Amino acid sequence: MVNPLDIFSALGDATRLRIMALLRQMELSVGELAQVLGQSQPRVSRHVKILCDAGLAERRKEGSWVFVVLGRGDIVGPVAAALDAWGQPDSGTDAARLAAVRADRAAAAASWFQSHAREWDAIRSLHVAEEQVEAAMQTALGEGDVGTLIDIGTGTGRMLELFAGRAVHALGIDRSSEMLRLARAKLAGVANAELRQADLYALPVDDGAVDVAILHHVLHFAQQPGAAITEAARALGPGGRLLIADFASHDREELRTRDAHVRLGFSDAQIEGWFEAAGLTPARTDMLDGGELTVKLWLGRKAGVHLREVKAA
């Protein structure tokens, strides 16, 4: 049961208001919060505990890192609306430091991608047999046409190579120009495949323009997985499907530094929570054991009936 006194008490501090504002923009580790706030980690941890005790935030441990995220929507939603209505003290310093955190994360990932682009397919295969993942993805999407397809974070273009033959149009996007150069070489003979440099948080497609979206071993590199899922859902039309292939939760801490993984896999609850927030209904979950890590597939479906289904009826 929500206790309004606990909530107002938790918000009665300038630092905790700043933390709430930051968490509304992205998930942050305790260390990153300390960096943005310019305070010690123990002090920030105390503030985070108060917010968590009030239900305004949650802590999620991943290896040696602790990520802080907003609490349940039914608790945070009214608070966020009130803060928007009343106006929240603006901190230009917080905004600048948060931008620096984003830049640091992006630079680390970009550096790794650039140095490993040619080995990308080989690195993926070390974790789990890729042919097993691809077969499971084909099963999850079923037989027949997939309509308009977007592969988010296409890398060397393997998903387009696999599914473009079943698509009316297949679009692959990636931030790395080097990755796209390699993908273009691989997809030279695929007439209906298009490659564009773009960000997974700002897909270059209109609302509802896509039938199937794929996030294949991309989400664990994302700074804001929930935002990436929401953006993919925006692109889906009625009855559209989002297929995620990624790692189940694990404790391989070395992957953060060795392979630039931001997140150590995902639980079903995390993915399903992001699906719900994005307006998607979980339709299927598959687990693929084997290799160094366990791969899982999550399929989410947008509400509504697809035009092909209407015609078939």
Side-chain angles (χ1 to χ4, degrees):
M1 181 177 177
V2 178
N3 187 334
L5 186 59
D6 291 340
I7 291 176
F8 282 106
S9 177
L11 293 174
D13 180 273
T15 295
R16 293 196 285 277
L17 282 175
R18 291 167 66 191
I19 290 174
M20 289 295 294
L22 293 169
L23 295 182
R24 291 181 69 188
Q25 297 184 61
M26 62 186 292
E27 299 177 1
L28 292 162
S29 70
V30 173
E32 289 169 336
L33 277 172
Q35 176 184 339
V36 173
L37 296 169
Q39 299 180 13
S40 68
Q41 286 199 33
R43 184 175 180 182
V44 171
S45 293
R46 287 194 294 272
H47 286 300
V48 167
K49 183 179 186 304
I50 292 171
L51 291 172
C52 290
D53 289 345
L56 293 167
E58 296 178 2
R59 286 171 294 194
R60 294 177 182 159
K61 192 173 188 305
E62 293 185 5
S64 63
W65 286 30
V66 176
F67 282 91
V68 186
V69 303
L70 289 175
R72 297 198 328 258
D74 60 331
I75 298 176
V76 175
V79 170
L83 291 174
D84 288 341
W86 298 334
Q88 191 165 318
D90 180 48
S91 174
T93 301
D94 284 358
R97 289 175 176 169
L98 185 63
V101 167
R102 284 197 176 107
D104 287 345
R105 287 185 181 182
S111 175
W112 186 87
F113 278 127
Q114 292 292 344
S115 62
H116 292 83
R118 292 186 180 277
E119 309 154 34
W120 179 236
D121 287 334
I123 290 173
R124 282 180 171 174
S125 69
L126 293 176
H127 300 298
V128 67
E130 199 64 22
E131 61 270 17
Q132 291 179 313
V133 179
E134 294 175 0
M137 293 177 74
Q138 290 175 317
T139 298
L141 290 178
E143 299 179 355
D145 294 342
V146 295
T148 300
L149 170 76
I150 184 168
D151 181 30
I152 303 168
T154 196
T156 59
R158 175 55 186 162
M159 290 296 101
L160 296 185
E161 189 178 37
L162 188 65
F163 289 107
R166 297 170 52 188
V168 175
H169 179 71
L171 171 65
I173 69 103
D174 205 290
R175 288 186 62 185
S176 169
S177 58
E178 178 68 11
M179 284 290 193
L180 291 174
R181 187 181 71 80
L182 296 174
R184 287 190 175 93
K186 177 179 286 189
L187 298 167
V190 183
N192 66 331
E194 177 187 2
L195 295 166
R196 295 175 64 179
Q197 187 170 24
D199 192 275
L200 78 167
Y201 304 114
L203 300 176
V205 296
D206 293 335
D207 294 356
V210 173
D211 298 303
V212 172
I214 294 175
L215 283 162
H216 176 240
H217 286 311
V218 169
L219 212 57
H220 60 263
F221 290 110
Q223 298 178 20
Q224 303 174 70
I229 289 173
T230 296
E231 175 62 2
R234 176 196 65 78
L236 293 175
R241 295 171 292 170
L242 169 61
L243 179 59
I244 298 172
D246 219 300
F247 300 123
S249 297
H250 61 86
D251 59 0
R252 298 291 296 272
E253 184 70 30
E254 74 276 10
L255 295 182
R256 289 196 195 276
T257 52
R258 192 187 76 189
D259 293 340
H261 290 200
V262 176
R263 310 302 291 265
L264 299 184
F266 303 95
S267 67
D268 291 346
Q270 283 178 304
I271 297 294
E272 289 169 4
W274 287 321
F275 275 178
E276 181 181 0
L280 302 177
T281 300
R284 181 184 181 121
T285 302
D286 296 293
M287 183 170 68
L288 304 174
D289 291 319
E292 298 179 25
L293 299 172
T294 296
V295 169
K296 297 198 77 169
L297 304 184
W298 295 275
L299 182 68
R301 184 180 176 110
K302 197 165 188 177
V305 179
H306 194 277
L307 181 60
R308 291 198 304 273
E309 296 173 318
V310 173
K311 290 179 178 179

